[in-house]
Amino acid sequence: MRNNSGMTIIELMVVIGILAILAGIAIPGFIGWLPNYRLRSASYEVQSTLQNAKLRAIRENAIVRVNFDFGNDTYVAFIDNGANADNGTQEADEVMIKNGQMPAGIDLKNPAVNPLGGAVRFTRRGFPDVSGNIEITNGTRTQIVNLTLGGSSSIQ
């Protein structure tokens, strides 16, 4: 008597064919979902950076800035307490908290009427000097990160 273990090449080809059909159905849905995932992820990252800057300002008892570069879709958060303290630019002796860049296909936009401009300054007590919005878009959808004068931030 012969021991029949394993599978034949035909059975293997049938399984591979079924997997190929399932992948062909799933991949277009995944590709459509990816830009919205990147948008949500970028929005949470910006909000997280603002919250972290607020907490570091309180913990370090120092001025913390978050500067946004809307042209390059980047931002940097740092403790502004070096030799030229509270001047709005990061020098070599100032500690960087976070340096971020938007993912591919995601744009950081400054709304037309926005007191935030390109920077937020958190006082030693964790209060921002301005409130306003930051728009993050993927071309079809937009999410807004809102910062209040109380220092709280939310995503709309």
Side-chain angles (χ1 to χ4, degrees):
M1 207 168 220
R2 195 170 187 196
N3 184 5
N4 291 332
S5 63
M7 62 177 102
T8 66
I9 191 77
I10 293 174
E11 292 171 332
L12 185 63
M13 296 301 287
V14 168
V15 170
I16 290 174
I18 291 171
L19 289 176
I21 290 170
L22 291 175
I25 292 169
I27 288 176
F30 177 74
I31 290 172
W33 169 76
L34 193 57
N36 292 333
Y37 172 77
R38 285 183 179 157
L39 176 64
R40 262 193 328 272
S41 175
S43 300
Y44 287 129
E45 192 67 31
V46 169
Q47 181 191 25
S48 172
T49 300
L50 291 171
Q51 290 174 342
N52 192 15
K54 172 188 173 179
L55 293 174
R56 287 292 293 267
I58 295 168
R59 188 176 79 185
E60 304 285 336
N61 193 26
I63 303 296
V64 175
R65 289 194 182 263
V66 181
N67 290 345
F68 295 96
D69 184 352
F70 297 105
N72 294 320
D73 297 327
T74 61
Y75 57 91
V76 62
F78 61 95
I79 299 174
D80 198 3
N81 65 350
N84 296 320
D86 201 12
N87 65 352
T89 59
Q90 183 183 13
E91 281 95 27
D93 60 340
E94 295 175 334
V95 176
M96 181 188 319
I97 297 171
K98 172 85 174 162
N99 187 6
Q101 182 165 0
M102 295 292 107
I106 304 297
D107 292 322
L108 194 60
K109 295 203 176 224
N110 189 10
V113 179
N114 188 14
L116 271 183
V120 178
R121 176 184 174 270
F122 288 93
T123 66
R124 298 175 194 282
R125 292 181 146 184
F127 294 112
D129 56 351
V130 294
S131 65
N133 298 326
I134 298 164
E135 289 183 2
I136 302 168
T137 183
N138 65 3
T140 57
R141 289 188 56 215
T142 299
Q143 288 197 325
I144 297 171
V145 178
N146 180 279
L147 179 67
T148 67
L149 285 176
S152 66
S153 58
S154 62
I155 298 174
Q156 302 170 351

